[in-house]
Amino acid sequence: AMLWRTSPAATELEELATDWVRQLVGLPETFRGHINDTASVSSFVALAAARHRVPGLDIRAKGLAGRPDVPPLVVYCSEQAHSSIDKAVIALGLGHEHLRKVPTDDAFRMDVGGLERAVAADRAAGRLPIAVVATAGTTSTTSVDPIPAIAALARREGMWLHVDAAYAGSAAVCPEYRALLEGWEQADSIVTNPHKWLFTPVDCSLLFVRDPGQLRDAFSLVPEYLRTPEAGVTN
């Protein structure tokens, strides 16, 4: 199922099934879904797209090493965020010391005031904030970060907002719980795992992105053996 021509049914079913889930959880039509095996991979992919979106740096082509024109790139999450965010930052070459673990309140939710102060401090020190990860359903306490306030700050600061709803995202299927995830529709990317609460018996993680073109720009390569005559079809 590498591309449409090699398996039209699998490709069409992936788009259809992910859109069914999008509708079930009440996300806007602007989101497009992509299936990965785990939320760790989905969050890695999302943060790679966030890194690629940084204007003027062309990290995909030029990399990070030995570039005095590239300031330290900073990612933010709460101290309750899943360890996969740490691993993504490390694997993307951003450096673990450039992941800011924002303190939480007495309900284990990210302190937005603390986030704002951390962003301001990094900018003052010449570092560049690029993304913030809000968690909807932390592994330890099932806490949900204040997504609307985080989204507003991310928008104001020009940061990519990724919502890790691997655990609690499926709760939005129930209208009476949807308010718990208020604001997640403002995210640039969202991950939720059908293999948790949607009875999927194999590893299945859905990454929803607001702008599929940004994901494609970050990853797409079309070698000769993947070129097809269908207009607009790549890998």
Side-chain angles (χ1 to χ4, degrees):
M2 290 187 299
L3 66 164
W4 189 90
R5 175 171 279 259
T6 56
S7 185
T11 305
E12 298 288 347
L13 280 171
E14 179 176 5
E15 290 202 13
L16 182 62
T18 56
D19 197 63
W20 281 342
V21 176
R22 178 196 64 76
Q23 294 175 60
L24 279 170
V25 299
L27 287 172
E29 293 182 8
T30 49
F31 283 94
R32 295 284 297 277
H34 174 69
I35 296 177
N36 295 299
D37 53 353
T38 66
S40 297
V41 171
S42 291
S43 291
F44 174 87
V45 169
L47 291 176
R51 187 187 67 174
H52 178 72
R53 192 181 69 165
V54 179
L57 298 184
D58 196 11
I59 293 171
R60 169 178 163 137
K62 299 177 181 178
L64 290 168
R67 294 185 60 186
D69 60 316
V70 179
L73 307 179
V74 186
V75 175
Y76 305 82
C77 66
S78 91
E79 59 190 11
Q80 295 291 316
H82 192 269
S83 60
S84 60
I85 306 304
D86 299 65
K87 292 179 180 180
V89 168
I90 293 168
L92 287 167
L94 303 180
H96 198 207
E97 67 179 35
H98 297 131
L99 176 64
R100 299 285 177 265
K101 294 291 187 74
V102 180
T104 56
D105 61 16
D106 56 3
F108 304 104
R109 302 170 300 191
M110 185 189 293
D111 175 6
V112 180
L115 172 63
E116 189 169 13
R117 290 188 292 273
V119 171
D122 281 321
R123 288 201 185 279
R127 294 180 283 266
L128 181 59
I130 65 168
V132 56
V133 179
T135 305
T138 60
T139 304
S140 298
T141 65
T142 71
S143 294
V144 177
D145 288 335
I147 301 173
I150 295 171
L153 179 59
R155 187 165 53 249
R156 187 167 67 248
E157 295 288 343
M159 296 187 295
W160 181 287
L161 173 58
H162 176 60
V163 174
D164 179 1
Y167 187 176
S170 299
V173 171
C174 303
E176 63 269 29
Y177 295 132
R178 200 164 288 173
L180 295 172
L181 296 156
E182 179 185 0
W184 73 331
E185 72 282 352
Q186 301 177 54
D188 295 287
S189 56
I190 299 169
V191 57
T192 190
N193 284 358
H195 65 233
K196 288 185 167 68
W197 288 2
L198 293 182
F199 306 106
T200 303
V202 296
D203 289 348
C204 181
S205 179
L206 301 188
L207 175 65
F208 291 100
V209 290
R210 177 179 297 282
D211 182 357
Q214 293 181 338
L215 196 63
R216 190 179 303 113
D217 290 345
F219 286 99
S220 181
L221 287 171
V222 190
E224 189 62 35
Y225 52 81
L226 290 179
R227 297 183 188 277
T228 65
E230 290 84 18
V233 175
T234 66
N235 60 333

